[in-house]
Amino acid sequence: MSVATVIPARLQHTRIDESVRLRETHIGQQCKILAHSALEYCELGDFSYVGEHCSIADSQIGRFCAIANQVRIGA
């Protein structure tokens, strides 16, 4: 018998790039928001991903969603 090794999850915590602009936004658990994105008056569900240079406003994004780079939603 071999001993199985436990590999930790790649994204255990929410990660938000330091260049991201947030205004009255709720971010769920284990999300990732990449560089130069702006989120205003919106909700981002658990386990969701926002690519680079996105603009998201007045929106509700659910769980397990992936938003590509340079996407504009509700802005």
Side-chain angles (χ1 to χ4, degrees):
M1 274 194 187
S2 63
V3 176
T5 57
V6 177
I7 300 172
R10 191 174 125 214
L11 183 61
Q12 293 181 342
H13 304 285
T14 294
R15 293 188 185 172
I16 301 172
D17 188 85
E18 61 187 33
S19 65
V20 170
R21 292 178 294 141
L22 300 173
R23 177 187 277 175
E24 296 189 38
T25 298
H26 178 267
I27 309 291
Q29 297 179 359
Q30 298 183 19
C31 293
K32 188 172 184 179
I33 304 175
L34 298 184
H36 308 293
S37 291
L39 286 78
E40 298 181 340
Y41 309 105
C42 63
E43 295 180 21
L44 184 65
D46 298 340
F47 312 102
S48 292
Y49 167 93
V50 176
E52 295 179 343
H53 302 280
C54 290
S55 179
I56 301 172
D58 304 315
S59 302
Q60 292 180 335
I61 297 171
R63 299 175 70 198
F64 300 99
C65 293
I67 308 298
N69 295 336
Q70 301 181 354
V71 171
R72 185 175 179 183
I73 299 174

